[in-house]
Amino acid sequence: MGLERKAAAGVLKEIANLLELHDENPHRVRAFANAARAVERVEGDLEQLVGSGEIRDLKGVGKGTAGVLAELMEQGTPEVLAELEQRTPEGVRELLQISGLGPKKTRILWRDLGIASPGELEYACRENRLVELPGFGAKSQDQLLKSVRFLQSTRERWLAHQGSAEAERLAGEIAGYPGVERVHVAGEVRRCCETVASLDLVACGETESVEHAVAGCLDEPRWEVPSRWAATTRHGFPVTVRVTRPQAEAVTLLWATGSPQHLDALRRQAAAAGLRLEQGEGLWSNGELLPCPDERRLYEAVGCQWVPPELREDGSEVTLAARNEIPRLVGLDDIRGVLHNHSTDSDGTASIEEMGAAALAHGWQFLGIADHSPAAHYANGLTAERLRDQWQRIDVYNRVAGGPRIVKGLEADILADGRLDIPGGCEDGLEYVVASVHSGFRMAREAQTDRIVAAVRHPACRVLGHPSGRLLLARPSYDVDLDCVLEACAEAGVAVEINASPYRLDLDWRWARHALDLGLTLAISPDAHAVDGLEDVRWGIGVARKAGATPERVLNCGAIEEWLDGG
């Protein structure tokens, strides 16, 4: 293959970085780094220089690096690079692309914290794992967080909170233009999908006014089909803006929101009622367009309950709606409090008092503090002495603060053999334990399943935390039989967490629906490490609603004393 100067230098630099990452001979690292700089500055035909061997006359290029360039020209990937890539997880190689992270710092993150992808690094920054790490610190952590988010912005999918924030920002901008009456956020954001591939907006108003707004807010908008614009936001999100007039607003919003399966099922339902539902047109009966001023009226016209946007996924919800069997789903106003939150006693950034004040501002009646257990040394896990000291401070707070009741909890690591990492002598003083896996992600399926099942059967376990261990767009679930785990939770009366952090959203809504079918109680937990982390409960509610959860099936909506007493 032909050699391009910058590409060839990039390959040599990548080899140098990977060698340094693996702590190889520094002389060899330096040889590839020097060769990369030399090749980048070379004048003339690089391919001719390599083919003739004259490349070795270039200062900084030796016999070994010249041979690598020859391999690159002849076969594509040099053998040394292929071997290094085999030894290095893809996510770790991605870390090397992040501004502010060189091979040495990447090695520390990988070796000391087990961080093996940009998504895991972002999560660790949000949990303040890097503040005390040698060679890092608070400022470095903040900068890395920005760099990770920049890298993620170039990917094909975004996390729910990122997509939502961008959609709401854009909707607000477009709505501010004269002649634009309303702008609705639709698509995956409105359905509360855990990740978002694109943004969908519905703008109601004069076509020329919306066109002017779109041109002012978006980069290079394209008129795709009648009444629809496609473009990209300034932050790189693909976006579709549908233009509508008030008489077609409901059907346009319906079409811009539902999945293809939901819309197909709704069309069939309309046909069964002797009606015709058409995209961009509306609902027809015997050639007459029926007035449907809002979505509720449209669903009613085809013989259905209104289907909440979160449920508009696989089409089965239309059958339930036709039977009037969709229940009232859990909402933010139903929440009385949240469990699984952290304070400065482990790796949080706010004190118990500050977290309590924030919970009071939300109008909650209780707040669980579940700091890490001793095995989580990287998160400043609590020893028995420190845990008892925390209880004393919680007792004082509950007596004098006048805020929500602080509930004494612990996020106990599930150890490799299934034991819970509860400090000795502390079980009786804990009001609840969240059992979570924080290590051993690569255990074999059977061993991982047995480990977690053993943990949920422990008498102290009340909640199973982030059950699959996934980090969205960063780390897949560990290999585990979730069917078996959820059945064990049902037998033991253990609640299953929907970890509301938008970086996790674990349990996934599909599994959460299965958990409800098994009779399990869901616990929506923000896993907050800061005051503003409590806001993440909204994302967990979205997952619970997609699963079809009612307030009665969500731990957060009941009396905490009743649950603590085993109710």
Side-chain angles (χ1 to χ4, degrees):
M1 61 172 282
L3 280 187
E4 193 275 326
R5 178 170 51 87
K6 287 189 176 181
V11 168
L12 294 172
K13 181 63 175 174
E14 184 180 6
I15 292 170
N17 285 339
L18 290 173
L19 287 169
E20 187 173 3
L21 174 71
H22 288 283
D23 207 14
E24 298 278 354
N25 187 313
H27 297 293
R28 194 177 183 211
V29 172
R30 196 155 44 247
F32 277 97
N34 290 339
R37 286 190 290 270
V39 167
E40 195 165 27
R41 296 191 301 266
V42 75
E43 296 179 1
D45 186 337
L46 179 60
E47 185 172 350
Q48 190 275 328
L49 291 173
V50 172
S52 66
E54 294 176 68
I55 191 68
R56 290 190 59 186
D57 297 334
L58 195 67
K59 184 178 180 181
V61 178
K63 179 179 179 181
T65 50
V68 168
L69 287 169
E71 284 185 77
L72 181 62
M73 183 175 69
E74 295 165 4
Q75 63 190 44
T77 303
E79 184 178 337
V80 62
L81 179 58
E83 187 269 336
L84 286 166
E85 288 179 341
Q86 184 70 26
R87 292 166 55 192
T88 315
E90 182 179 353
V92 175
R93 299 202 301 273
E94 286 186 66
L95 289 175
L96 292 170
Q97 302 172 22
I98 295 173
S99 175
L101 270 189
K104 290 181 180 178
K105 285 192 172 182
T106 299
R107 183 169 70 244
I108 292 171
L109 293 173
W110 187 22
R111 180 192 64 203
D112 294 356
L113 294 185
I115 292 171
S117 72
E120 287 181 308
L121 175 58
E122 182 177 15
Y123 192 77
C125 289
R126 281 176 57 86
E127 293 196 335
N128 297 300
R129 302 280 173 81
L130 276 61
V131 172
E132 302 297 333
L133 198 64
F136 291 85
K139 288 184 178 180
S140 175
Q141 177 175 269
D142 289 343
Q143 187 55 50
L144 283 175
L145 188 56
K146 293 176 183 177
S147 298
V148 170
R149 287 173 175 166
F150 175 80
L151 179 66
Q152 288 180 329
S153 72
T154 66
R155 293 180 170 180
E156 294 181 356
R157 294 195 74 86
W158 290 264
L159 298 174
H161 69 303
Q162 296 167 336
S164 179
E166 185 75 343
E168 293 291 347
R169 180 196 65 77
L170 182 59
E173 283 190 17
I174 294 175
Y177 278 72
V180 179
E181 298 176 31
R182 286 173 297 280
V183 180
H184 306 276
V185 175
E188 292 177 316
V189 171
R190 190 176 181 219
R191 297 205 311 273
C192 290
C193 295
E194 56 266 81
T195 62
V196 175
S198 62
L199 308 182
D200 290 272
L201 302 180
V202 173
C204 183
E206 297 289 343
T207 300
E208 289 185 1
S209 298
V210 175
E211 178 179 352
H212 181 60
V214 167
C217 297
L218 294 166
D219 294 336
E220 300 180 356
R222 305 178 306 281
W223 187 251
E224 284 194 328
V225 296
S227 303
R228 192 173 75 191
W229 289 91
T232 303
T233 74
R234 66 176 66 109
H235 295 123
F237 285 79
V239 59
T240 297
V241 181
R242 290 173 171 84
V243 185
T244 186
R245 299 303 302 275
Q247 58 267 32
E249 188 173 0
V251 72
T252 304
L253 180 58
L254 173 81
W255 226 268
T257 297
S259 71
Q261 295 89 339
H262 175 79
L263 297 172
D264 285 346
L266 201 60
R267 264 194 300 229
R268 291 193 298 271
Q269 176 65 24
L275 305 172
R276 181 168 57 87
L277 180 63
E278 291 294 338
Q279 179 179 0
E281 296 183 21
L283 191 62
W284 296 81
S285 175
N286 298 320
E288 180 182 353
L289 183 63
L290 300 180
C292 295
D294 56 44
E295 281 188 327
R296 290 182 183 274
R297 290 285 293 276
L298 197 154
Y299 278 95
E300 288 172 5
V302 300
C304 286
Q305 292 173 272
W306 178 73
V307 179
E310 298 91 341
L311 293 181
R312 302 180 196 178
E313 289 292 349
D314 62 13
S316 63
E317 64 280 353
V318 175
T319 301
L320 292 177
R323 297 174 183 166
N324 201 38
E325 292 180 359
I326 292 182
R328 186 181 81 79
L329 302 180
V330 63
L332 187 59
D333 291 343
D334 297 308
I335 301 298
R336 298 187 183 185
V338 292
L339 301 173
H340 190 176
N341 304 288
H342 300 271
S343 75
T344 48
D345 288 339
S346 64
D347 59 347
T349 62
S351 67
I352 290 171
E353 292 78 11
E354 290 168 330
M355 294 293 281
L360 178 63
H362 282 281
W364 294 339
Q365 299 170 12
F366 67 89
L367 178 75
I369 295 295
D371 278 314
H372 287 281
S373 65
H377 55 86
Y378 54 83
N380 194 27
L382 273 65
T383 62
E385 181 180 3
R386 292 174 58 219
L387 185 57
R388 292 192 184 98
D389 174 72
Q390 183 184 80
W391 294 345
Q392 291 177 2
R393 288 182 281 116
I394 288 174
D395 287 339
V396 172
Y397 177 93
N398 284 336
R399 282 197 306 270
V400 305
R405 177 187 168 186
I406 302 295
V407 191
K408 302 171 185 173
L410 179 74
E411 185 180 17
D413 271 32
I414 298 175
L415 303 178
D417 59 3
R419 289 179 297 120
L420 293 185
D421 182 42
I422 300 174
C426 291
E427 282 191 20
D428 291 342
L430 287 166
E431 295 182 278
Y432 72 100
V433 169
V434 178
S436 303
V437 170
H438 288 116
S439 61
F441 300 133
R442 294 177 177 82
M443 290 177 67
R445 181 180 180 86
E446 185 176 356
Q448 191 74 270
T449 303
D450 289 347
R451 167 197 192 185
I452 299 174
V453 167
V456 301
R457 288 175 175 166
H458 190 290
C461 179
R462 298 300 307 276
V463 179
L464 176 61
H466 38 78
S468 79
R470 76 176 184 184
L471 289 177
L472 289 166
L473 305 181
R475 183 178 73 205
S477 166
Y478 29 70
D479 193 7
V480 62
D481 185 342
L482 269 179
D483 264 319
C484 184
V485 169
L486 294 178
E487 287 172 4
C489 289
E491 292 170 4
V494 169
V496 178
E497 178 180 82
I498 294 177
N499 189 291
S501 166
Y503 298 89
R504 288 187 182 271
L505 297 184
D506 180 14
L507 203 58
D508 172 271
W509 67 267
R510 302 159 190 82
W511 281 107
R513 183 175 292 181
H514 182 56
L516 292 172
D517 290 341
L518 292 174
L520 283 158
T521 297
L522 301 176
I524 300 174
S525 300
D527 196 359
H529 287 72
V531 165
D532 59 3
L534 296 175
E535 302 283 350
D536 286 345
V537 70
R538 63 175 287 203
W539 308 112
I541 288 172
V543 173
R545 287 175 64 86
K546 287 186 80 65
T550 63
E552 295 76 20
R553 302 296 300 277
V554 177
L555 184 159
N556 312 68
C557 303
I560 190 62
E561 291 79 8
E562 182 179 336
W563 179 75
L564 292 172
D565 290 339

